[in-house]
Amino acid sequence: MNLISPVLETHNLNIYYGDFRAVTDVNIQIPRHKITAIIGPSGCGKSTLLRAFNRMNELVPNTHIEGEIIFEGQNLYGRDIDPVEVRYRIGMVFQKPNPFPKSIYENVAWAARIHGYRGNLDELVESSLTKAALWDEVKDILKQSALSLSGGQQQRLCIARAIAVQPEVILMDEPASALDPIATLKIEELMQSLKKDYTIVIVTHNMQQAARASDYTSMMMLAENTRSGTVIEFEETNTLFTRPKDKRTEDYVTGRFG
Amino acid sequence: MNYGYPIRNKGLQKKIKPGETVIHVLLFLAGFISIFTTIGIVFVLGKDAWLFFRLPEVNLWDFLTGTSWQPHINKFGILPLFTSTLLTTAIAMTIAIPLGLAAAIYLSEYASQKARKIIKPTLELLAGIPTIVYGYFALTMVTPLLRSIFGANIVEIYNTGSAGLVMGILILPLVASICEDSLSAVPRTLRDAAYGLGATKLEVAIKIVLPAALSGISAAIILGITRAIGETMIVAVAAGAGPNLTLNPFKGAETMTGHIVRISGGDLSYDSIDYNSIFAIGLFLFLITLVLNIISQRIVRKYREVYE
């Protein structure tokens, strides 16, 4: 599959933890202003691949990559690339809601402050919380600790916090796996409303979620012999779920796997 | 029916298990010894301090506010001893807090696994040096250094500054170690969140990890202060003999602990007024450290609730 102008593009990407190759030969393109899901069984390297897109992997000692990831014409792993600048433009939402132990307001405003935001901070906080569908619930308690919110609200706060930086891409690592079905639905609706401004890449092991919420799906699987994960199929979500080309994808999405 | 097991207790009643009981009692006694010791200390301090305060020459108000401690003319004002304790403690903490915190931030946020493995034990080694050694280090190394910098006519041979500085070095590993524990206890996920927003290492360390660990750090500081107030050998050797009401760190001045050492080292007759007076000072010290300990425990308890 070749897209006209992908936001992110991997070329023969291999990711290593020490000597162990966790992800092998990934060549995918992430389409602009779409939601791309990465699915696959546990331990197949979905999160590792996702975290390679904003260089979060290297916070773990002894990780390295081979190959390249092209973002807007530049190799993210080029010699002169600063990972801090990469993460400023490619944001991330994590599996477990992880708000800072600060006020709701401060959670959203924090990154704007460190990046020297020149606009009106109050407006930025309000618009970010509104986009994250949280404003109405928290507008009267902005000074309260973020930890007083429910899990679902905390996760939407984390999304608001990521949006406030105005990144181009938002990476989501199983953002709803710690949430109940209602909170999950809210996050999925939120993703739909966000995709007109952002490119979203989401890791999920919930296939219904991928089928419901994403435009493109990348199917990952462990290779039998090397125990290393790779992308075995990358298609429009509809196609991948209804007419999978790979037998393993078919078995997985129909629940017949393993 | 029981293949290999002894016959089971059909009625399910309690069996007497002597081993369990003995261990239970031993463990209880182990815990009780520290409580018993504390009670004993309070009793001894309280009893002799009571004998002191009961004397007609002494009253509590003069004890707490008097500016002169001269037992031979019945002047028992604790302020000169108390201020020099405060002075040495303050000097020690100006060394121990910034350096300890900086070392802790380095160890927890910056140091590689390898560097940490070398630096942490080395730092903890500092805490294992006998305090008498520190005392003579102050007297024979730091004091001459101070005298060569500020002038021998300004810096006395015995002075609180030198004792305070060395006490700071003694306390540094304690502060660093507890601060490092509380910084490392800040969940990885909080750091990830900040890095994911494009924060630099320094921003993550100073603006996210440090505030999240603040209660642990305050507990470390209070424990350090407690240690400094109670520290005896360094001040006994290097801070000077003789109560002196001054805030000048270049002058000699005896601290509460230093005074107790000097007086109890001499041949005091049991039940003399001098003898009883040191128990009053001891009780006063005990109360200060007790209050500080209670405060730090409160803070530590609060710190456990911070992230959830």
Side-chain angles (χ1 to χ4, degrees):
Chain A
M1 202 174 62
N2 261 309
L3 298 163
I4 295 163
S5 86
V7 177
L8 285 157
E9 199 173 344
T10 70
H11 294 152
N12 297 322
L13 181 67
N14 291 279
I15 308 171
Y16 294 83
Y17 290 117
D19 294 332
F20 172 66
R21 181 155 69 172
V23 171
T24 304
D25 282 338
V26 171
N27 290 287
I28 58 170
Q29 297 173 320
I30 306 294
R32 195 177 299 273
H33 292 186
K34 301 282 183 210
I35 299 170
T36 303
I38 304 176
I39 62 168
S42 298
C44 71
K46 305 184 293 288
S47 294
T48 302
L49 175 60
L50 188 79
R51 292 165 80 95
F53 287 133
N54 69 343
R55 295 188 60 170
M56 287 294 282
N57 276 335
E58 61 206 69
L59 297 175
V60 181
N62 296 324
T63 52
H64 75 279
I65 75 140
E66 284 166 4
E68 51 185 25
I69 300 178
I70 305 298
F71 170 67
E72 307 291 8
Q74 288 191 84
N75 180 10
L76 289 182
Y77 287 84
R79 198 179 289 268
D80 55 344
I81 300 293
D82 182 352
V84 169
E85 295 298 322
V86 172
R87 296 180 202 127
Y88 187 17
R89 292 178 61 184
I90 304 178
M92 188 151 210
V93 174
F94 297 84
Q95 179 168 6
K96 200 176 152 239
N98 54 356
F100 300 129
K102 301 176 188 288
S103 71
I104 294 168
Y105 183 96
E106 217 29 62
N107 261 275
V108 183
W110 188 79
R113 279 195 228 279
I114 65 165
H115 291 300
Y117 182 70
R118 298 236 184 96
N120 183 323
L121 212 51
D122 290 351
E123 282 170 18
L124 179 74
V125 169
E126 176 171 349
S127 71
S128 306
L129 285 167
T130 306
K131 281 186 196 165
L134 190 61
W135 174 250
D136 289 334
E137 291 161 62
V138 301
K139 62 179 180 220
D140 299 323
I141 53 167
L142 290 173
K143 294 271 170 277
Q144 267 184 31
S145 166
L147 301 172
S148 64
L149 299 174
S150 73
Q153 289 174 321
Q154 287 188 6
Q155 195 61 306
R156 276 178 282 145
L157 179 65
C158 292
I159 293 173
R161 181 174 70 179
I163 294 170
V165 181
Q166 297 168 2
E168 286 143 73
V169 181
I170 301 176
L171 308 173
M172 297 186 175
D173 191 354
E174 302 188 30
S177 68
L179 306 180
D180 68 51
I182 294 167
T184 302
L185 190 66
K186 280 203 175 137
I187 302 278
E188 287 176 16
E189 287 169 359
L190 177 55
M191 281 160 43
Q192 296 305 325
S193 71
L194 290 176
K195 75 177 183 187
K196 66 177 194 299
D197 297 319
Y198 307 96
T199 300
I200 295 174
V201 185
I202 175 176
V203 161
T204 176
H205 53 213
N206 178 339
M207 277 174 295
Q208 287 81 6
Q209 185 170 58
R212 270 195 309 261
S214 73
D215 303 304
Y216 289 83
T217 299
S218 154
M219 175 73 209
M220 288 186 79
M221 196 65 84
L222 284 179
E224 286 291 339
N225 46 355
T226 60
R227 312 300 298 159
S228 179
T230 192
V231 173
I232 57 167
E233 194 163 356
F234 183 49
E235 268 301 340
E236 279 189 47
T237 298
N238 217 355
T239 314
L240 186 128
F241 276 87
T242 54
R243 298 185 301 281
K245 291 195 188 72
D246 194 294
K247 181 76 174 63
R248 290 169 293 174
T249 308
E250 186 182 345
D251 286 348
Y252 189 78
V253 300
T254 53
R256 230 181 299 147
F257 201 86
Chain B
M1 221 81 74
N2 287 302
Y3 302 105
Y5 290 100
I7 292 169
R8 291 184 199 207
N9 179 355
K10 282 254 164 57
L12 301 173
Q13 295 98 344
K14 232 181 200 168
K15 270 194 243 174
I16 297 161
K17 296 165 184 161
E20 298 269 334
T21 318
V22 169
I23 296 292
H24 188 141
V25 169
L26 284 177
L27 293 177
F28 171 78
L29 285 177
F32 193 74
I33 281 174
S34 62
I35 297 174
F36 183 75
T37 313
T38 312
I39 294 170
I41 289 173
V42 172
F43 176 75
V44 171
L45 282 178
K47 193 192 74 170
D48 285 293
W50 168 247
L51 290 176
F52 173 71
F53 284 118
R54 217 186 39 179
L55 295 169
E57 304 92 313
V58 182
N59 79 58
L60 186 61
W61 181 249
D62 287 344
F63 176 78
L64 291 175
T65 59
T67 55
S68 162
W69 184 276
Q70 287 168 299
H72 53 95
I73 54 167
N74 287 337
K75 281 196 166 173
F76 294 100
I78 201 164
L79 277 184
L81 300 174
F82 184 59
T83 49
S84 54
T85 291
L86 282 189
L87 184 60
T88 48
T89 302
I91 295 168
M93 294 323 282
T94 13
I95 299 288
I97 294 171
L99 288 183
L101 198 51
I105 291 173
Y106 172 73
L107 284 174
S108 129
E109 305 301 309
Y110 285 85
S112 66
Q113 207 86 5
K114 214 187 213 166
R116 189 174 317 155
K117 257 188 198 150
I118 299 167
I119 294 168
K120 225 188 160 185
T122 313
L123 204 62
E124 278 158 6
L125 201 69
L126 270 182
I129 297 173
T131 53
I132 183 78
V133 176
Y134 276 110
Y136 281 96
F137 177 69
L139 189 63
T140 60
M141 285 285 294
V142 178
T143 298
L145 190 70
L146 289 178
R147 282 165 74 96
S148 72
I149 294 171
F150 297 100
N153 51 340
I154 293 174
V155 184
E156 293 177 1
I157 289 184
Y158 294 101
N159 63 79
T160 47
S162 156
L165 288 175
V166 173
M167 215 149 83
I169 299 168
L170 168 78
I171 292 163
L172 194 158
L174 175 82
V175 173
S177 173
I178 301 174
C179 286
E180 206 259 335
D181 288 345
S182 62
L183 291 171
S184 309
V186 173
R188 169 96 253 136
T189 54
L190 280 189
R191 294 185 179 81
D192 280 355
Y195 282 121
L197 294 165
T200 63
K201 199 158 204 162
L202 185 67
E203 286 161 347
V204 174
I206 302 296
K207 295 181 178 165
I208 295 296
V209 180
L210 198 66
L214 204 59
S215 353
I217 291 166
S218 351
I221 291 171
I222 291 180
L223 276 176
I225 294 174
T226 315
R227 181 83 173 80
I229 289 175
E231 172 48 39
T232 306
M233 236 33 239
I234 297 174
V235 287
V237 170
N244 184 5
L245 185 64
T246 175
L247 286 176
N248 183 346
F250 296 141
K251 291 210 179 317
E254 202 166 44
T255 65
M256 295 193 281
T257 51
H259 183 74
I260 294 174
V261 168
R262 184 169 61 87
I263 296 302
S264 56
D267 44 0
L268 277 180
S269 64
Y270 181 73
D271 259 357
S272 72
I273 188 164
D274 284 26
Y275 177 83
N276 287 337
S277 76
I278 63 178
F279 284 89
I281 301 170
L283 185 67
F284 192 63
L285 259 178
F286 179 78
L287 289 177
I288 295 172
T289 47
L290 184 71
V291 168
L292 286 173
N293 265 317
I294 291 170
I295 293 173
S296 80
Q297 273 184 16
R298 287 267 161 89
I299 293 174
V300 168
R301 206 171 304 147
K302 191 183 143 215
Y303 147 72
R304 291 209 178 107
E305 298 167 355
V306 162
Y307 329 107
E308 294 299 326

